[in-house]
Amino acid sequence: MALATVGANRVFASGLVDYRILYQYLQRGWQSLAQKDFSCVLRILLVRFLETAVVEFLCRNRLHKMFVPLLLVWAGCSAGFSLVLMTWYQGAMGLVLFLASNFPHQLFYGAAWGILIFKCLSGYEVRRRRFWGAVAALLLFGVLAEVHVNALLLSCFMKIQ
């Protein structure tokens, strides 16, 4: 995450990438989420289940000892990049916005993907229906938190601005 933060700072400072355009794209997504746009909810649901399928595929692969650390690096890079994007546009309040936009749904997603990775790395045998039921429940709770709680937090933050 630290390397991604430094890299994103460098890319924005050099003018190679216009952070204002990226932030406006992000803000449009938040506005459609706050308005409870059905297509936005469907897109979130689809993206999260596809991310879970990718995690499962990479964990089942023979090279999972290499792919799992790459997944963690990717997650750190995306978090670092979004943190820098928000602080470049909003300043110190960008840190608050970063925390508000990633809480609490990331806790549910992290738990779902964490148990997938744990099952893969430990070789622990599980009951299929209960295991996938738990993963699906965590993902659905994450989507519900992202749609309702995150939208509420972001709409409160946008009113403050």
Side-chain angles (χ1 to χ4, degrees):
M1 184 171 165
L3 289 175
T5 303
V6 170
N9 264 322
R10 185 69 194 130
V11 167
F12 291 155
S14 69
L16 186 63
V17 174
D18 189 6
Y19 66 92
R20 291 172 291 231
I21 293 172
L22 290 174
Y23 187 80
Q24 288 170 359
Y25 176 73
L26 190 63
Q27 200 170 26
R28 277 194 310 260
W30 289 339
Q31 288 169 349
S32 65
L33 182 64
Q35 296 168 353
K36 304 277 194 278
D37 183 16
F38 184 71
S39 65
C40 181
V41 173
L42 227 69
R43 185 174 53 239
I44 289 170
L45 193 61
L46 179 67
V47 165
R48 298 309 181 191
F49 276 99
L50 284 175
E51 286 173 343
T52 305
V54 167
V55 170
E56 172 64 18
F57 173 75
L58 292 179
C59 285
R60 284 186 177 228
N61 198 322
R62 289 183 182 181
L63 300 174
H64 68 271
K65 299 263 189 214
M66 181 180 72
F67 285 140
V68 169
L70 286 176
L71 281 172
L72 296 175
V73 167
W74 180 258
C77 286
S78 66
F81 188 83
S82 65
L83 174 65
V84 170
L85 175 65
M86 290 178 203
T87 53
W88 263 75
Y89 195 81
Q90 294 287 332
M93 285 301 287
L95 179 61
V96 175
L97 180 62
F98 172 76
L99 293 173
S101 67
N102 285 302
F103 182 79
H105 64 279
Q106 291 294 350
L107 297 174
F108 291 110
Y109 298 144
W113 300 328
I115 63 173
L116 277 173
I117 292 171
F118 176 76
K119 180 184 96 65
C120 168
L121 293 179
S122 69
Y124 184 70
E125 291 297 321
V126 295
R127 294 183 182 169
R128 281 192 189 271
R129 287 186 186 176
R130 288 187 184 191
F131 176 76
W132 287 108
V135 170
L138 285 168
L139 287 175
L140 288 176
F141 284 138
V143 168
L144 287 173
E146 189 169 4
V147 169
H148 294 291
V149 177
N150 195 346
L152 178 70
L153 288 174
L154 290 172
S155 66
C156 290
F157 181 77
M158 289 183 184
K159 287 178 187 176
I160 291 172
Q161 292 178 343

